[in-house]
């Protein structure tokens, strides 16, 4: 049970919640040395994480399935 943040209607139980990201930002991840352990090796070998870049969510809203369908078509255009 939750309140849709788009239409402000209380959604009954057992209805799935959908999250819509409203704002994202670019994020750079630094390289890290010896952090990834190889699972099937003895003794354990560690590899470096090269780092990289991506996006992370700044703000998202909880919406009902009806609003999700409307916003999904609106955001995909
Ligand atoms: Zn709604």
């Amino acid at each position: 049970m939750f309140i849709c943040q788009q239409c402000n209607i209380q959604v009954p139980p057992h209805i799935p919640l959908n999250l819509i990201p409203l704002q994202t930002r670019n994020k750079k991840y630094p390289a890290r040395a010896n952090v990834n352990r190889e699972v099937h090796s003895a003794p354990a070998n560690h590899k470096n994480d090269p780092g990289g870049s991506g996006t992370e969510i700044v703000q998202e809203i909880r919406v009902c399935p009806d609003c999700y369908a409307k916003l999904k078509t609106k955001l995909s255009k």
Side-chain angles (χ1 to χ4, degrees):
M1 189 179 326
F2 64 97
I3 295 175
C4 175
Q5 292 180 313
Q6 183 70 22
C7 62
N8 292 324
I9 290 176
Q10 185 173 11
V11 180
H14 307 294
I15 304 293
L17 178 146
N18 298 287
L19 294 170
I20 299 273
L22 292 182
Q23 186 181 2
T24 59
R25 64 181 163 216
N26 294 327
K27 174 76 176 179
K28 288 187 177 177
Y29 299 96
R32 300 176 299 156
N34 299 325
V35 291
N36 291 329
R37 182 176 179 265
E38 290 183 351
V39 176
H40 299 289
S41 68
N45 293 330
H46 291 81
K47 289 186 172 181
N48 298 335
D49 179 17
S53 62
T55 58
E56 64 182 11
I57 295 172
V58 176
Q59 182 184 13
E60 62 186 1
I61 57 172
R62 292 176 274 172
V63 296
C64 64
D66 293 339
C67 289
Y68 180 74
K70 291 175 192 169
L71 288 171
K72 192 175 177 183
T73 56
K74 187 177 176 183
L75 291 174
S76 64
K77 288 180 182 174

